[in-house]
Amino acid sequence: MTAEGKAASFWTTLPGVLTAVAGLLTAVTGLVVGLAQAGLIGGHDGPGSGEDSSVAPLSPHTSDVATPVSTDGEGDPIAGKWRGRVASPNGDATDFISVLIESPCRLNQPCGTITVKSVPCTGRITLIGVDAGVYEFYVDQFTPDSGTDCSPGGGELFQARNDGRLEYKADYDPHLTGILHAVG
């Protein structure tokens, strides 16, 4: 049989080419979706990333297990070394604290330490939530020289101020507040 007499292969006809293109597009789309869901490509804080992107209010009492109360952001905007005095409004409780927030500071990852001088307590901090610019940290893994009054838990709240300082509040003692200064 001559070349003129051969029947054309399905894959060389218009329906065959369209079928091949559709199959290829389906395969590439499936691959991209699979990689995105696995977190290997694309953003990690938008809809469809496998994380809850809703913002929940910071709870007044966090359990002993560090669970995120928000996935609204990360702690890099307040990274640095900070120190300052914290006090209750009536002055009956004053203390000196220092905080080191290392970059990168990611949700549910340890990213620094906090030291409360008078107790004394020095513990690891883990970012567990961000809500409207307020960063909540969970404290645990205290150093051996920390006092027996140190206990793990959340509720260490920090917020950047327009003047370059860091505002501190403790949600377990709403009257305990302070302003921390950046340390060179």
Side-chain angles (χ1 to χ4, degrees):
M1 199 188 269
T2 66
E4 295 170 6
K6 283 188 178 177
S9 167
F10 173 75
W11 298 110
T12 60
T13 64
L14 182 60
V17 170
L18 292 176
T19 300
V21 169
L24 183 61
L25 286 174
T26 301
V28 169
T29 302
L31 178 63
V32 169
V33 168
L35 291 172
Q37 287 179 344
L40 298 175
I41 63 171
H44 300 288
D45 58 358
S49 67
E51 296 183 16
D52 179 11
S53 61
S54 62
V55 177
L58 297 175
S59 62
H61 301 288
T62 306
S63 71
D64 287 341
V65 177
T67 55
V69 293
S70 167
T71 56
D72 185 30
E74 298 175 341
D76 287 352
I78 61 169
K81 194 171 188 179
W82 303 89
R83 284 192 219 164
R85 186 166 300 282
V86 295
S88 59
N90 60 9
D92 65 352
T94 62
D95 210 336
F96 184 78
I97 68 169
S98 61
V99 179
L100 172 62
I101 302 169
E102 298 170 333
S103 179
C105 184
R106 305 287 183 245
L107 283 170
N108 298 316
Q109 299 295 318
C111 56
T113 58
I114 187 169
T115 300
V116 180
K117 188 175 181 179
S118 70
V119 178
C121 273
T122 298
R124 175 184 77 169
I125 58 173
T126 299
L127 181 64
I128 61 170
V130 182
D131 184 16
V134 177
Y135 298 81
E136 181 177 11
F137 289 87
Y138 180 90
V139 184
D140 64 357
Q141 293 193 6
F142 297 98
T143 59
D145 59 339
S146 293
T148 58
D149 289 339
C150 303
S151 61
E156 307 294 335
L157 308 176
F158 299 92
Q159 184 171 22
R161 293 168 44 110
N162 291 333
D163 61 6
R165 298 184 295 170
L166 196 62
E167 186 173 331
Y168 169 81
K169 292 181 184 176
D171 77 351
Y172 49 84
D173 181 354
H175 302 293
L176 190 58
T177 62
I179 303 296
L180 309 180
H181 303 272
V183 177

